[in-house]
Amino acid sequence: MSTEGKVVGAAGVIDARFGSSSFMKRAIRKAFPDHWSFLLGEIALYSFFVLLLTGVFLTLFFKPSAAEVIYQGPYEPLRGVRMTEAYASTLHISFEIRGGLLVRQIHHWAANIFLAAMLIHMLRVFFTGAFRKPREISWLLGVTLLVLSLAEGFAGYSLPDDLLSGTGLRIAQGMAQSIPLVGTYLVMFLFGGEFPGQEVLTRLYILHVLLIPGIMLALVPLHGIVLPWRLMHTHFPGRARSERNQIGMPFFPVFVAKTTAFFMFVAGAATLLAAFFQINPVWLFGPYDPAAISSGSQPDWYLGWLEGALRIMPAWEITALGHTVTLSLIIPGLIIPGLLFTGLALYPFIEKWATNDHRYHNVLDRPRNAATRTGIGAAGVTFFGVLWLAGGNDVVAETFHIPLFWTTWFFRGAILIGPIVAFAVAHRICLGLQRRDREALAHGVESGIVRRLPTGELTEVHKPASEDAAPVLSAKKELPVIEAGTDGNGIDAPVSRHVVGRLRVALNRAYTGDDVGDGHGNGHGNGNGNGHGNGNGNGHGDGRELVSGTSSEQSGPGDGGAR
C-alpha cells in the first residue's frame, strides 16, 4: 500500500471513531466577525498563554518558603541582609538566571495586559448587549474568570515577599480578620499562625500555580472556544445582517492567519514592554518588614480600586453582641466587591426581568440605542475610576502640592456624585445621538451642496442615507412594555399589586423610555410603512416605530458566546 493510501486509511479509522471529518468541515466553514472589537477577547486569551509559558519557567527557580536566609548574592545593596527564601529566589531569578529578569517582567506585563484586556472585553460585551439570551452562561463564565484572575494576580503579586507585596498581604490579613465571628480562625487557617506566619507563601504558591490556573484552564476553553463554536457569533447591525444569519470571514484560512499573527503581536508587545520598561523592581523595595512601608507605594492597577476604597473609607466601627465590627475594612474589602461582582453576574437576568425581553439576540445593540444600559455602564466605569484614582491619593497630593486630606474628601464626594453625573450625561448623549439618527433617516444626510433659493435663502441639500448606513441608523429594537395601572373599573393590574411588581414596572419604564419621542418628518417620509414618517406633509410619524425599523421576531437558538 502506498504512503497516500496509508494516510487515507488511518484518517478513515479516526473518522469512524471520532467523527472528525464532519467537525472539521463545520469548523472550516464557520464565519468569524471581522470587526476589530471582537479581537479584544483574543488579547486576553493570548496573554493567558504567555502567562502559562513564562510561569512554567519561573516555577523552576522560585522557592515559596518563608524560611529566613542571609543574602549573599551579586546585588551589593542587599548583601548580608536577612530575608525569606522566597525573596532571595526572586533576586536569584532576576540577577543570576540567564534571561530570568526578562521572563519575570514578561510574566508581570502579560498579567497586566491580561486583566486590562478582560476588563475592556467585558465592557464591549456589556455596552453592546452581547450578554443577552442565549449568552447568559458565557457572561457568568466571564465574570467568574475575572474574579479568578484578580485572585490569581494578587497571589502572584504577593509571592516575592518584598516590602510592597508584603504590605498588600498585610492589608488582606486585616480584611480577613475583620470578618465577624470567623475572621480570626480564617487568618490562622490561611497564614498558619500569627501574621506573617510560615505557611502563607506556600499556600499562595499552590493557589497561584495549581488550583486557580487549573480552574481557569477548564473555564477559558469553555468560555472562549466551546460556547462560541457551538453557537453563532454576534455581529453589529448592517445591510443583510439579521438575527438568523452570520456574516464574517471563514475560520480557515482567514481567521487562522489573523489569529496566529495576533498571538505573535500580543507576545511581542509583552516582550517589548518587558525589555524596555521596568516593572516591579523588587530589589529596590527590599524584603518585607512589618515596621516599614515604602513612600508612594502602589499595587498593580487592577488592585488599585480596592486600595482606593480602603483609603477613602471613614474609620467606622460598631459593637454588636459583644463583638467589634470594623466597618472601615468590611465595607471596602468585602461589601463593595461583593455587590460589584454580584451585580455584574446578575445583570443579564435583571435586565431581562425588567424589559420582559426573552428574544434571541444575534445582532448587537449600538450603545446609543440602549441609553439606560449605557448610562449604568458609564456610572460603573466612573465608580471604578474614582476608586482607582483614590488608591493614589498620596501621589496626587504630592504631585499637585495639595493637602492629603483634601484629596481624601474630594474622592469621598466624587464616589457618590460622579456615577450619578456620569449616568445622566451618558443617557442624554445617547438620546441626542438617537435624535441625530432619526433626523438622518427622516431628512437624509448632509451632502455638502448648498443651494440658493429664489427668495435668497441658502439651504443645504440632503440625500437619503446609503444602503449601508440606513440599516445601522434604524437598528434600534422595541422593548416589550409591561402594562400597569388600573382598568375601567379601577382595579390594579396584577403586576402593580405588590412592591416587586411596581419595581419591575418602574425599571421597565426606564429601559423602554430610551426613545427620543415623536419624530418630526416634516413631510419627508417615504410612505413605505417602515416607520420613517407618513409622507403626508405633517411629518408626525410615530417615534418608536421610526427608530426600530427592524423585525423583532425571535431568531431561534442560533448564536452565543458573548463575543
Side-chain angles (χ1 to χ4, degrees), residues 438 441 473-479 515-519 528-534 540-552:
R438 180 190 298 277
L441 284 172
L473 297 174
S474 61
K476 181 176 171 62
K477 299 176 182 178
E478 292 184 42
L479 293 173
D515 209 340
V516 296
D518 290 337
N528 61 3
N530 63 1
H532 300 296
N534 56 18
H540 297 287
D542 178 72
R544 183 181 299 276
E545 188 71 17
L546 179 63
V547 173
S548 66
T550 58
S551 172
S552 61

Side-chain angles (χ1 to χ4, degrees), residues 229-242:
W229 279 83
R230 168 63 181 83
L231 307 165
M232 290 165 48
H233 295 302
T234 56
H235 50 191
F236 285 100
R239 185 172 62 172
R241 298 185 179 187
S242 69

